[in-house]
Amino acid sequence: MRLFDPHIHMTSRTTDDYVAMHAAGVRAVVEPAFWLGQPRTSPDSFHDYFDSLLGWEPFRAAQHGIVHHCTLALNPKEANDPRCAPVLDTLPRYLLKDSVVAVGEIGYDAMTPAEDAALAAQLDLAAQHGLPALVHTPHRDKAAGLARTLDLVRESALPPERVLLDHLNETTVAAAADSGCWLGFSIYPHTKMDERRMVTLLAEYASCQDRILVNSAADWGRSDPLKTRRVGDAMLAAGHHEDEVDQVLWRNPVAFYGLSGRLDLRLPAPDSSHEGNSVLRGGD
Amino acid sequence: MLTGGGREDPLLDEAYRWLCRRTDAAGRDWLDEALAEVRRAGPEPAATDGPAPLPAWEAHFAAAGRRCRRTKPEAVGPQAPGDSDIPDTPDNAGAPDDPATVARVLLLHAAGVRTGTLTRLYTRGTGAERRAVLRALPHLTAGPEALHLVTDALRTNDTRLIAAALGPYAATHLDPPAWRQAVLKCLFTGIPVAAISALSRRAAGDRELARMLADYAAERTAAGRDVPTDLCHVLTLTGKES
Ligand SMILES: [Zn+2]
């Protein structure tokens, strides 16, 4: 079973997680930029974080045989902090970079006017940069949050088929499916959404199976980086064919992030840590 | 070919030809167009501090990885999304260099980029962009003014970055204590010492390096671990006349 976790915060995970993920079949991840738990106080802490998602973390993932891409954005929580919001001025330069495959996570947290502005601006940035967008739907007041998110998507320059709505559940999936956006489900250990309910939703929304993505959204909170595998196992146990598992857990994320034209699923060679004997090196 | 910046650089001409053999037609066309655009724009104006518009070459520099990909000998076309195999087998095993790195170095050279801009590109660069800046140093910078980028890379634990930092520029400008630490770091992190430019010349007669290597060998032996063959190789080099 080959697995692509389309939403996981590896910065917060250990090397043991990487080892276990690889053993479970995970070969590719996308790490969205998000809140770190501890509030940031300046755009420069975002820059250092973005740099790490573009440098150190992909290197770390590659050591464990996993290809790492990222999505970059100002997250909705910190969009409310005037000390952080200026990162929107430097974000465009970051969106040019090779391993950035979407703008995200954007969306709503508490549905404030500052969040409106950041979401609208970043949907347009995605359109300008030829990138899709990963849109987080709020954990509180979810249905209203989704409705307001869809309003902004409609007003933006980004078509719904380039938007992934994440953290969906039974109460929001119908409206999300009608919108034409991609449908993302985060599977958590105890709350929000589990693998059993996910399999039920897959049966109910079989007609959308080519635009459903499942992720662990694992981060610094209570979460499980092997949830993609658990869903694959639950799908097989419920009678799904292996090809359907491959579609949901590999081909759909490849197709969605492939919209960027930047997804590169080849791992660097293990011996590329050295570039000895290189054409650029010249003689000693 | 005059690679750029008004300066001839035979090594970069060779690198350009190397690259043309290793990337597809779309990648070559992209590079030729990007280099032509950069040359038309002329050398970088001095003092571009503050929020200036993004120069064209900088957008090309950022996009080089997706525009200039290595052709796979067995591949007949671009990898179709959804068609990709599990990326267990790296496709560029044994490759001496990455086309995107070479393309970025050519762009930097054509743009005649100065140390201030190199520093900015490195500081806010991806791993691949940082490696390209490091590899461009000997082609763009005559003096030691960009050495802070080398020492920054040597402080990291990213083996690809460390290896890229240890090219001819470091061989020329790194002082002996820092250079010895870099050699030791390669041995610690498993980077083949073949990545270190001018290794034989700089190691020859270096008794302090010999002492450090012998101490490290003793530490490994005391721990019941093998002494890496690379260590013995460098130790031999230190015994030669400088
Ligand atoms: Zn998240």
Side-chain angles (χ1 to χ4, degrees):
Chain A
M1 194 185 292
R2 57 179 183 176
L3 302 167
F4 186 142
D5 195 330
H7 180 159
I8 184 164
H9 302 281
M10 292 312 300
T11 301
S12 307
R13 310 302 307 193
T14 64
T15 50
D16 283 357
D17 288 333
Y18 270 124
V19 171
M21 286 162 65
H22 188 272
V26 177
R27 294 294 181 274
V29 296
V30 167
E31 175 156 8
F34 201 57
W35 191 52
L36 281 179
Q38 175 71 30
R40 300 180 179 90
T41 59
S42 82
D44 269 341
S45 354
F46 279 88
H47 300 151
D48 289 340
Y49 175 63
F50 294 164
D51 293 338
S52 146
L53 296 184
L54 295 162
W56 177 241
E57 204 55 47
F59 173 77
R60 215 163 73 96
Q63 304 297 295
H64 300 279
I66 295 176
V67 177
H68 182 288
H69 292 82
C70 67
T71 79
L72 299 182
L74 168 63
N75 64 76
K77 259 183 216 284
E78 289 174 316
N80 292 301
D81 188 334
R83 296 172 300 178
C84 297
V87 74
L88 287 177
D89 300 334
T90 42
L91 185 59
R93 286 199 179 202
Y94 275 99
L95 296 182
L96 299 171
K97 295 185 185 283
D98 275 327
S99 57
V100 179
V101 290
V103 171
E105 299 174 58
I106 50 177
Y108 283 116
D109 179 52
M111 290 190 271
T112 64
E115 292 173 28
D116 285 328
L119 176 54
Q122 294 184 97
L123 286 169
D124 287 340
L125 276 179
Q128 286 162 30
H129 286 82
L131 290 170
L134 170 59
V135 181
H136 148 123
T137 56
H139 294 302
R140 305 178 304 277
D141 201 7
K142 217 170 178 62
L146 176 66
R148 192 151 154 187
T149 302
L150 289 175
D151 285 343
L152 258 74
V153 169
R154 274 188 289 269
E155 289 162 21
S156 79
L158 199 65
E161 40 317 337
R162 296 180 73 84
V163 173
L164 168 58
L165 298 168
D166 211 351
H167 311 318
L168 297 174
N169 63 18
E170 290 86 350
T171 66
T172 49
V173 60
D178 285 345
S179 72
C181 295
W182 294 70
L183 311 174
F185 296 87
S186 305
I187 313 300
Y188 297 92
H190 297 291
T191 55
K192 297 171 187 167
M193 177 56 70
D194 63 29
E195 52 267 37
R196 188 187 45 78
R197 287 158 58 201
M198 187 64 233
V199 170
T200 307
L201 280 175
L202 277 166
E204 213 173 312
Y205 286 85
S207 64
C208 300
Q209 197 165 289
D210 58 351
R211 56 185 170 109
I212 289 178
L213 281 73
V214 174
N215 62 74
S216 72
D219 58 12
W220 33 257
R222 207 159 179 184
S223 47
D224 178 355
L226 303 183
K227 278 297 183 189
T228 48
R229 176 63 197 233
R230 303 280 171 263
V231 169
D233 291 340
M235 284 177 74
L236 291 176
H240 282 273
H241 192 271
E242 274 179 24
D243 187 66
E244 295 176 282
V245 174
D246 191 66
Q247 177 180 37
V248 172
L249 294 171
W250 183 267
R251 298 199 306 270
N252 286 351
V254 168
F256 175 72
Y257 289 117
L259 293 171
S260 68
R262 305 187 197 176
L263 198 67
D264 187 353
L265 293 169
R266 301 167 305 169
L267 269 182
D271 69 346
S272 60
S273 64
H274 70 100
E275 290 180 347
N277 198 25
S278 141
V279 64
L280 284 173
R281 221 185 100 194
D284 274 357
Chain B
M1 185 190 68
L2 184 65
T3 340
R7 269 200 298 163
E8 298 275 1
D9 192 324
L11 194 59
L12 288 187
D13 291 345
E14 191 191 320
Y16 173 82
R17 288 190 295 273
W18 177 91
L19 174 56
C20 288
R21 291 194 301 273
R22 277 161 187 83
T23 191
D24 58 13
R28 281 194 296 275
D29 291 349
W30 170 81
L31 178 65
D32 286 343
E33 220 160 285
L35 286 170
E37 187 179 344
V38 170
R39 286 195 205 96
R40 274 196 305 274
E44 180 186 39
T48 49
D49 258 15
L54 189 74
W57 66 264
E58 209 172 319
H60 297 318
F61 180 80
R66 56 189 183 270
R67 304 306 302 268
C68 215
R69 286 187 182 178
R70 168 180 298 280
T71 46
K72 293 200 279 184
E74 72 277 19
V76 286
Q79 211 170 18
D83 246 22
S84 45
D85 288 318
I86 297 174
D88 251 345
T89 318
D91 70 322
N92 53 348
D97 234 323
D98 167 25
T101 304
V102 176
R104 286 188 167 111
V105 171
L106 292 170
L107 284 166
L108 292 173
H109 184 258
V113 171
R114 296 167 214 268
T115 305
T117 304
L118 287 173
T119 303
R120 178 171 58 75
L121 291 174
Y122 175 92
T123 307
R124 295 302 175 205
T126 65
E129 290 170 2
R130 289 178 188 221
R131 292 198 298 277
V133 168
L134 292 166
R135 312 274 300 194
L137 293 179
H139 305 283
L140 286 171
T141 317
E145 59 270 20
L147 197 59
H148 59 286
L149 302 181
V150 171
T151 52
D152 180 278
L154 292 176
R155 279 194 299 273
T156 71
N157 270 17
D158 182 333
T159 49
R160 302 181 72 190
L161 211 51
I162 295 169
L166 289 172
Y169 189 80
T172 306
H173 297 293
L174 214 52
D175 66 25
W179 186 80
R180 292 181 193 118
Q181 287 291 336
V183 173
L184 219 54
K185 191 153 184 175
C186 285
L187 296 171
F188 265 82
T189 54
I191 300 169
V193 294
I196 307 173
S197 281
L199 178 66
S200 333
R201 177 172 59 77
R202 287 210 58 164
D206 189 337
R207 293 173 62 181
E208 176 62 4
L209 180 62
R211 185 208 47 86
M212 291 163 77
L213 294 170
D215 283 359
Y216 180 40
E219 194 184 324
R220 300 269 311 193
T221 308
R225 303 174 70 195
D226 294 342
V227 175
T229 50
D230 261 4
L231 191 157
C232 304
H233 169 60
V234 183
L235 197 53
T236 309
L237 293 176
T238 60
K240 306 227 162 105
E241 300 269 316
S242 60

